Amino acid sequence: MQYQSANTDSLMYITNRPALVFERGEGSWLYDHTGKAYLDFIQGWAVNCLGHCPPEIATALSTQAAQLINPSPAFYNGPMVKLASLLTENSCFDRVFFANTGAEANEGAIKLARKWGRLNKGGAHEIITFDHSFHGRTLATMSASGKAGWDTLYAPQVPGFHKAAYNDIAAVDALIGPKTVAVMLEPVQGEGGVIPAEVEFLKALRALTEARGVLLIVDEVQTGMGRTGKLFAYEHAGITPDIMTLGKGIGGGVPLAALLAREAICCFEPGDQGGTYNGNPLMTAVGLAVTKALLAPGFLAGVEARGQYLSQKLLELSARHGLKGERGSGLLRALVLADERGPDIVKRGLELAPQGLLLNSPRPNLLRFMPALNVSEGEIDQMIAILDGLLKG
Ligand SMILES: *Cc1c(COP(=O)(O)O)cnc(C)c1O
């Protein structure tokens, strides 16, 4: 595709992108090379939790960039230490390892569990994951994922992952054997179509894993950092997992991820784990600014309230258009269509003039909403009004 003078042919082809280039973002709005505005309910894939270019992040980046960008991962730095403390003070975990992407954090979780199994469980190393789950695009995290077709795409897979049916405690129980070291799941399956784990299932899973001496790993790359109205989604079930991974929202738009674990599980020794950019102060300074914003009085209550507002508006829309309802948690929601018009609605939303709407359709019969956590009721109303028109078309 030709974009004015820019030729995109030098980019490796991995996906179909529309013939436009985004040049500017502010809050819930993105602006392309022609100046056209788009109401953004994708937000970098549930990443930009404070919206586009929030002042907190711009300030954190410029201040830190002028002070210290990279001392090397062999040394402590201020933002790395402060962010780790803030995360442990506000979760059930004791220690944090910072990474760059969700997949990398999950790789770390898999390694930590396997090492723990070698030391404490006679070499147990198998991990139970779930059908339709998504844990990333590295070979191990693709093998952990329950996405159709991924078992053969880059075969051979990394061995040691067994898939259970989601929300089915008997299925998990049946898969636990002497080689099982952990169960890993998303509290809400995001890429799988916004499917929440039932509170009772999470509670039963914690009791089962505890009884069988198996670790519980929550992949909160999409659900963490306030997305569901609590800082972490596991809190809704009142459970205490052993390991958690974070990504997406923790960086508010910059590459930052984290692996958290309880003290008793932390068994890495020097040389076991690392990474050139782990704890990089430029990124952790942003993570610190983001986390402080989420912890400000009233912020998470606002996410919860606007999640309910969005839910109610989607239900009204569903009733008006004869759709099949909505589901989700906080500001991670999906509208269930009565047919497979999802991709077409997404395309027409993008092309709408004078203002476009950015939505995602993780499955042909679903539309997914992952707005900024500080999205306003007015912006939700605007989105609903545009979507109302698209559903009529
Ligand atoms: C997005 C996502 C990942 C992968 O994160 P990357 O930063 O793309 O590597 C892993 N797990 C879940 C639940 C995700 O939503």
Side-chain angles (χ1 to χ4, degrees), residues 56 61 134-135 174 215 255 315 382:
E56 295 95 322
L61 274 173
F134 180 84
H135 298 294
L215 302 177
L315 280 176
Q382 250 176 306

Side-chain angles (χ1 to χ4, degrees), residues 46-64:
V47 166
N48 310 326
C49 53
L50 302 178
H52 289 286
C53 302
E56 295 95 322
I57 292 187
T59 303
L61 274 173
S62 58
T63 307
Q64 191 60 40

Side-chain angles (χ1 to χ4, degrees), residues 101-104 106 134-136 186 191 219 221-222 248:
T101 66
E104 196 195 350
N106 284 337
F134 180 84
H135 298 294
E186 302 155 86
E191 301 311 301
D219 175 348
V221 170
Q222 189 156 152
K248 297 201 166 93

Side-chain angles (χ1 to χ4, degrees), residues 20-36:
L20 58 88
V21 175
F22 282 119
E23 291 191 335
R24 194 166 63 80
E26 192 183 342
S28 288
W29 294 88
L30 268 176
Y31 300 86
D32 74 10
H33 63 285
T34 66
K36 179 181 161 184

